[in-house]
Amino acid sequence: MEKLENIIESILFVAGDGVAFSDIAEKLQIEVEEIKEAILRLKAQKEQDGSGIQVIIFNEKAQLCSNPDYATH
């Protein structure tokens, strides 16, 4: 799926809370493993860019959060 990372980022932004990999996969009608790989790429991209928004992963869920590096600015 083209721009899967961007689609997932949008889903996570709108959700606000953690979203299960399986829920994203079901809605997009693709395999959970493909979702997991895309989330890991999105997480790495945000970290590499030093973005103010980061991706956290827990219990097979993903969520957007603020970058703690900028908490004191």
Side-chain angles (χ1 to χ4, degrees):
M1 181 175 282
E2 188 175 323
K3 302 290 185 180
L4 182 56
E5 291 87 353
N6 294 344
I7 294 168
I8 291 171
E9 183 177 23
S10 295
I11 290 168
L12 297 179
F13 178 78
V14 170
D17 293 326
V19 182
F21 298 168
S22 59
D23 289 343
I24 299 171
E26 181 181 331
K27 297 297 182 197
L28 299 180
Q29 299 180 339
I30 57 179
E31 296 295 320
V32 172
E33 190 59 35
E34 191 174 348
I35 295 297
K36 185 175 183 176
E37 290 171 3
I39 289 170
L40 290 172
R41 288 191 302 270
L42 177 61
K43 178 177 172 51
Q45 176 188 2
K46 294 287 185 193
E47 290 171 356
Q48 182 179 359
D49 293 346
S51 175
I53 302 297
Q54 298 292 293
V55 177
I56 56 172
I57 298 172
F58 57 96
N59 297 330
E60 296 296 308
K61 294 181 180 181
Q63 183 175 353
L64 295 181
C65 66
S66 59
N67 186 334
D69 291 344
Y70 304 121
T72 59
H73 297 306

